[in-house]
Amino acid sequence: MGMAALTYYTADMVRALPDDGHRYETVHGELLVTPAPGLEHQYVVLELAARLRDYLRIHPGGQVLISPADISWAPDVLVQPDVFDTAIAEARTFDWKQIKTLLLAIEVLSPSPSRYDRFTKRRLYQEYGVPWYWTMDIHGRAGEIWKRRSPRSSGSSWCGTRGERPSRS
């Protein structure tokens, strides 16, 4: 008895999936499915976006956006970073197809499997030259910051830092 062939998902196939509350993404044909984010997750997303927006008002360097999003660099790639900073000119087109330059991508980790955010999507962002990638673990009270070593280095030469927030006494 043979195994059934796995479906290789394209961005168009993911866009056609039902709007059932789940978040659907594809990375090189692999379908990533996560449940709808919880209230705590959304609170952190909103706080991060607001603080980043305030920072960028003083230090211009892009436009802050939040998911749901439709970031697609290839026919078999579609991701929805929780919070991201993109080139202002691309954001002003108001067309997801024009958003190709992410300056920062932030994922707020949920209790659901974080492998997608910590590994699969991190590698994708490296591949497509995103200079900064943050993961925020709200339950572990820690964050990871990944940054490209230099603008000339390839996506695979990132360095990471993990920081933990002290617990409240």
Side-chain angles (χ1 to χ4, degrees):
M1 180 186 268
M3 292 182 59
L6 297 175
T7 302
Y8 187 89
Y9 283 87
T10 65
D12 287 337
M13 291 167 73
V14 171
R15 288 182 191 105
L17 291 171
D19 185 6
D20 61 3
H22 288 87
R23 180 178 290 183
Y24 295 100
E25 301 170 283
T26 184
V27 174
H28 299 308
E30 178 186 358
L31 183 65
L32 313 180
V33 182
T34 53
L39 183 57
E40 186 177 25
H41 176 278
Q42 293 304 86
Y43 176 82
V44 171
V45 165
L46 184 59
E47 283 295 315
L48 285 167
R51 291 174 191 232
L52 186 56
R53 181 207 57 216
D54 292 347
Y55 175 84
L56 290 172
R57 284 183 176 158
I58 298 167
H59 309 280
Q63 176 66 51
V64 178
L65 297 170
I66 59 173
S67 278
D70 195 350
I71 307 301
S72 182
W73 291 292
D76 63 352
V77 171
L78 187 143
V79 291
Q80 299 189 47
D82 289 318
V83 180
F84 55 100
D85 180 20
T86 190
I88 292 171
E90 292 176 10
R92 288 185 178 159
T93 67
F94 298 101
D95 180 2
W96 286 121
K97 291 181 178 122
Q98 301 306 313
I99 307 288
K100 301 293 182 190
T101 308
L102 296 191
L103 306 169
L104 165 66
I106 305 173
E107 296 288 356
V108 177
L109 305 181
S110 298
S112 64
S114 62
R115 177 183 65 87
Y116 296 148
D117 293 329
R118 282 211 161 107
F119 301 104
T120 307
K121 289 170 76 175
R122 177 175 55 87
R123 296 297 306 255
L124 179 79
Y125 294 138
Q126 285 177 297
E127 179 183 343
Y128 284 96
V130 178
W132 291 90
Y133 180 53
W134 301 355
T135 59
M136 310 303 290
D137 183 349
I138 54 180
H139 297 286
R141 301 179 59 83
E144 296 175 348
I145 296 175
W146 293 87
K147 112 179 195 93
R148 207 167 47 203
R149 292 185 193 270
S150 75
R152 294 181 181 264
S153 55
S154 68
S156 63
S157 61
W158 273 14
C159 57
T161 304
R162 181 174 170 85
E164 296 184 9
R165 182 176 175 190
S167 60
R168 297 180 190 160
S169 304

